[in-house]
């Protein structure tokens, strides 16, 4: 603006000004302050990158990306780089550039490595320049912020500080970061490590999406749409927030904040706590137990769960285990298995043999222990609290990750859906007649495939005559048809 005024003054003075008018035109503005941006040519330090782009593409090919498609974010950037990296900045806050210049001949002088220098206020660590002058001027500029961050992984691995650690740990196993700084943090880290060692900086790169506000907008202080986590952490706890974050979107996708869904995670953890409290009432160590088909059914489901979680964690996509665990614990284990096994676990009227009762205890604990270990990386606090109360004085985070055990697999796993459908139908039937869920039923005809579960089903729904298959036409007249099944009180 100052320049414009002066130019007009000069033109007027010289009589060259033809006319003055206001025009509309596009102009770049600062994204934050919205002030117009003016480009001014200045001399700056650059780090060479253009000659290395071809090699960088090869280096990037050796890194495993999670999710795999996030690699293209980086490659697209590498393909669009058309200038070397300007690394000096005229900003007050930043890492000082450690250079002094000879006041006479202008030659730049670098101090010895090993400590941090502030040339703009320190005495120069040199006696004199080759030209004979002993006067130096300290650099006042700072580095681009990524100059430091791009070697953070080397610093953490002990580079130039702890050779033993560095030999063991380099290259870095994993860089976890957001999609917003692929072009900066990730790219420059790979560039710097390549320039120093000619190797990839990381074995794995995990790129997560961004958390957005309720309307799917990025959160900015200037926009006033920031959702502060503290009140939610206070109300629901860190584990609920972590579980919500993990279950919201597949790795690499953005996700919106939702108080309702965060509360849903909190309710799930409360459910898990209550289920654990119920299970903790039964003996942990069991011998001479016998598993019923119902136990084998839930163990088959548990096997599938462990497999799925293993896959998800290997892909570093917590969305998969978070949702699989939630579905297993809430929809299958708590709602159906635990409800069905209660009668046998308590065995009040000695309907079941001792070994079958112990089978229930054993299965409940195997399921809970396994679920806690699977969930521990996502909800470290709640799982630890339950683990240390029920199973061990040693932390759950020192346990090895659960293996899917082949002996859990059985033919009963294929009937889970029919089993759950039957339960739901019976519960709905009782509800439709304003009956309590623990009230007796006279006769129920269940699907033939569920016959192996008869003892547990009978006890669970308090059924006097539990039959399997289609009733005869004569029988049907005495029964209600509810959903797909025939039954009566
Ligand atoms: Zn000099």
């Amino acid at each position: 603006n100052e320049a414009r005024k002066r130019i007009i003054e000069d033109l007027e003075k010289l009589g060259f000004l033809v006319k003055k008018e206001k025009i509309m035109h596009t102009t770049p503005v600062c994204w934050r302050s919205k002030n117009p941006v003016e480009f001014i040519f200045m001399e700056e330090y650059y780090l060479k990158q253009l000659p290395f782009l071809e090699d960088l593409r090869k280096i990037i090919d050796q890194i495993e990306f999670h999710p795999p498609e996030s690699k293209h974010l980086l490659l697209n950037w590498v393909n669009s780089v058309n200038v070397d990296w300007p690394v000096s900045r005229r900003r007050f806050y930043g890492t000082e550039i450690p250079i002094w210049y000879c006041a006479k001949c202008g030659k730049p002088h670098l101090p010895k490595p090993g400590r941090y220098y502030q040339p703009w206020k320190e005495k120069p660590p040199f006696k004199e320049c080759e030209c004979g002058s002993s006067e130096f001027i300290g650099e006042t500029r700072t580095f681009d912020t990524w100059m430091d961050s791009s070697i953070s992984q080397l610093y953490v691995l002990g580079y130039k500080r702890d050779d033993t650690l560095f030999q063991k740990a380099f290259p870095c196993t994993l860089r976890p970061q957001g999609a917003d700084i692929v072009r900066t943090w990730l790219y420059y880290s790979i560039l710097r490590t390549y320039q120093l060692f000619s190797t990839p900086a990381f074995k794995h790169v995990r790129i997560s999406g961004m958390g957005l506000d309720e309307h799917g907008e990025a959160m900015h202080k200037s926009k006033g749409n920031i959702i502060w986590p503290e009140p939610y952490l206070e109300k629901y706890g860190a584990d609920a927030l972590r579980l919500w974050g993990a279950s919201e979107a597949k790795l690499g996708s953005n996700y919106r904040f939702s108080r309702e869904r965060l509360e849903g995670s909190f309710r799930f953890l409360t459910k898990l706590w209550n289920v654990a409290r119920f299970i903790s009432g039964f003996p942990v160590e069991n011998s001479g137990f016998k598993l019923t088909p119902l136990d084998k059914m839930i163990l088959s489901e548990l096997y599938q769960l462990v497999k799925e979680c293993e896959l998800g964690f290997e892909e570093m996509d917590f969305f998969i285990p978070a949702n699989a665990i939630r579905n297993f614990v809430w929809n299958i284990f708590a709602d159906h298995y635990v409800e069905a096994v209660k009668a046998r676990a308590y065995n009040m009227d000695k309907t079941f043999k001792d070994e079958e009762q112990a089978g229930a205890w054993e299965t409940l604990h195997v399921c809970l222990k396994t679920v806690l270990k699977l969930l521990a990386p996502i909800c470290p606090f709640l799982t630890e609290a339950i683990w240390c109360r029920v199973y061990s004085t040693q932390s759950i985070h020192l346990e090895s990750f659960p293996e899917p055990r082949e002996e859990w697999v059985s033919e009963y796993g294929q009937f889970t859906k029919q089993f759950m459908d039957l339960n739901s139908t019976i519960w709905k039937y009782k509800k439709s007649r304003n009956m309590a869920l623990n009230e007796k039923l006279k006769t129920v005809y269940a699907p033939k495939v569920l016959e192996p579960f008869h003892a547990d089903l009978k006890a669970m729904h308090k059924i006097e005559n539990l039959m399997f298959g289609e009733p005869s036409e004569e029988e049907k007249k005495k029964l209600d048809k509810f959903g797909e099944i025939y039954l009566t009180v």
Side-chain angles (χ1 to χ4, degrees):
N1 275 339
E2 285 164 35
R4 271 188 212 114
K5 266 184 226 149
R6 297 276 291 275
I7 289 167
I8 291 168
E9 276 171 27
D10 285 352
L11 289 171
E12 264 174 344
K13 240 183 263 166
L14 296 165
F16 292 148
L17 192 69
V18 180
K19 66 170 180 177
K20 282 201 272 185
E21 66 175 330
K22 283 206 168 166
I23 57 161
M24 291 280 284
H25 65 107
T26 53
T27 186
V29 294
C30 167
W31 70 271
R32 191 181 284 168
S33 68
K34 313 292 179 222
N35 283 327
V37 172
E38 196 171 341
F39 292 103
I40 299 170
F41 291 97
M42 300 184 105
E43 263 193 17
E44 296 296 346
Y45 282 109
Y46 283 75
L47 184 72
K48 256 195 200 316
Q49 57 181 353
L50 292 177
F52 310 119
L53 295 178
E54 199 41 55
D55 278 358
L56 282 178
R57 287 186 195 99
K58 286 180 202 146
I59 288 282
I60 289 165
D61 263 343
Q62 298 171 40
I63 301 174
E64 206 176 312
F65 283 78
H66 308 267
E69 57 273 22
S70 61
K71 181 176 169 179
H72 298 293
L73 296 175
L74 181 59
L75 283 177
N76 288 345
W77 174 244
V78 172
N79 291 339
S80 70
V81 168
N82 55 14
V83 58
D84 285 327
W85 175 19
V87 292
S88 51
R89 291 284 183 276
R90 289 156 201 272
R91 280 187 190 163
F92 186 78
Y93 291 106
T95 300
E96 281 96 339
I97 298 178
I99 299 178
W100 275 265
Y101 304 91
C102 170
K104 194 175 156 208
C105 74
K107 183 182 185 307
H109 291 258
L110 282 169
K112 281 196 196 110
R115 75 164 183 87
Y116 191 76
Y117 293 96
Q118 296 182 291
W120 58 278
K121 69 171 193 185
E122 265 180 55
K123 253 177 60 191
F126 321 102
K127 288 247 158 57
E128 63 177 31
C129 179
E130 287 90 328
C131 76
S133 165
S134 56
E135 240 188 275
F136 295 92
I137 301 161
E139 175 64 80
T140 54
R141 286 173 295 177
T142 55
F143 276 124
D144 176 17
T145 186
W146 304 106
M147 200 59 182
D148 287 335
S149 344
S150 57
I151 51 163
S152 59
Q153 73 283 356
L154 295 177
Y155 182 81
V156 170
L157 299 183
Y159 179 53
K160 300 238 175 200
R161 289 185 301 127
D162 181 344
D163 287 344
T164 325
L165 172 65
F166 189 70
Q167 292 301 328
K168 249 192 216 170
F170 181 81
C172 189
T173 308
L174 171 67
R175 160 61 64 80
Q177 62 158 73
D180 56 333
I181 46 177
V182 164
R183 297 166 162 210
T184 46
W185 197 29
L186 180 58
Y187 169 72
Y188 290 132
S189 298
I190 291 172
L191 173 70
R192 299 290 303 284
T193 298
Y194 164 74
Q195 289 178 333
L196 286 165
F197 303 100
S198 308
T199 58
F202 313 105
K203 290 179 189 152
H204 299 269
V205 168
R206 178 185 187 270
I207 304 290
S208 51
M210 310 302 292
L212 308 172
D213 77 1
E214 297 97 325
H215 311 290
E217 300 282 332
M219 293 184 223
H220 289 292
K221 249 187 182 169
S222 57
K223 262 169 100 180
N225 64 342
I226 291 195
I227 296 153
W228 298 101
E230 286 82 359
Y232 295 103
L233 285 168
E234 195 60 43
K235 187 163 180 200
Y236 301 115
D239 275 359
L241 194 72
R242 291 169 63 100
L243 178 63
W244 165 75
S247 4
E248 212 50 19
K250 273 204 71 69
L251 179 60
S253 304
N254 294 339
Y255 50 97
R256 293 176 184 201
F257 180 74
S258 156
R259 197 189 57 77
E260 289 75 26
R261 295 177 64 85
L262 172 58
E263 206 174 285
S265 290
F266 173 74
R267 280 200 309 273
F268 168 77
L269 293 177
T270 309
K271 180 90 183 174
L272 179 62
W273 180 265
N274 290 334
V275 168
R277 191 158 54 186
F278 164 73
I279 296 173
S280 70
F282 302 112
V284 176
E285 299 294 337
N286 300 291
S287 57
F289 56 83
K290 183 170 178 273
L291 301 181
T292 70
L294 179 71
D295 302 328
K296 292 178 182 170
M297 179 196 85
I298 197 68
L299 289 176
S300 289
E301 293 293 336
L302 186 67
Y303 177 87
Q304 293 304 330
L305 174 70
V306 176
K307 289 282 256 193
E308 203 176 342
C309 290
E310 224 175 33
L311 191 83
F313 280 121
E314 257 164 33
E315 288 174 4
M316 301 185 196
D317 189 351
F318 308 141
F319 175 80
I320 297 168
N323 285 293
I325 293 167
R326 218 166 154 132
N327 180 51
F328 173 85
V329 169
W330 204 320
N331 301 333
I332 304 174
F333 183 65
D335 279 2
H336 292 274
Y337 178 76
V338 171
E339 285 308 316
V341 88
K342 264 179 187 165
R344 179 153 49 95
Y346 287 126
N347 205 13
M348 295 299 218
D349 42 15
K350 294 285 164 201
T351 312
F352 296 91
K353 292 180 194 141
D354 286 351
E355 59 193 24
E356 290 170 332
Q357 183 181 19
W361 298 342
E362 178 68 13
T363 310
L364 285 167
H365 282 298
V366 166
C367 288
L368 178 60
K369 272 192 223 173
T370 308
V371 161
L372 291 176
K373 287 182 199 169
L374 292 174
L375 190 60
I378 300 173
C379 300
F381 304 108
L382 186 93
T383 52
E384 176 80 339
I386 298 173
W387 183 261
C388 292
R389 277 170 174 79
V390 185
Y391 296 118
S392 177
T393 49
Q394 186 182 278
S395 169
I396 191 170
H397 304 298
L398 297 172
E399 292 289 315
S400 51
F401 198 73
E403 303 266 341
R405 282 157 51 181
E406 292 301 326
E407 71 258 31
W408 291 345
V409 183
S410 74
E411 74 267 32
Y412 301 110
Q414 61 188 305
F415 303 124
T416 310
K417 191 178 177 303
Q418 280 110 317
F419 177 78
M420 299 198 304
D421 285 348
L422 176 69
N423 294 336
S424 303
T425 309
I426 293 175
W427 288 327
K428 268 187 219 151
Y429 176 77
K430 285 185 172 176
K431 224 176 155 187
S432 75
R433 306 179 63 95
N434 285 321
M435 293 167 70
L437 292 186
N438 58 6
E439 269 181 74
K440 282 184 181 161
L441 288 173
K442 188 145 185 272
T443 306
V444 173
Y445 277 81
K448 188 93 179 107
V449 291
L450 296 180
E451 200 160 1
F453 306 95
H454 74 276
D456 282 313
L457 275 173
K458 211 170 153 152
M460 173 188 193
H461 296 294
K462 298 222 160 62
I463 305 167
E464 234 168 82
N465 307 305
L466 177 58
M467 320 288 274
F468 293 91
E470 241 349 64
S472 68
E473 291 307 314
E474 198 54 34
E475 271 293 294
K476 279 183 186 171
K477 286 177 196 154
K478 293 183 241 160
L479 301 164
D480 296 326
K481 182 157 196 242
F482 197 80
E484 292 301 306
I485 65 164
Y486 289 91
L487 73 175
T488 187
V489 287

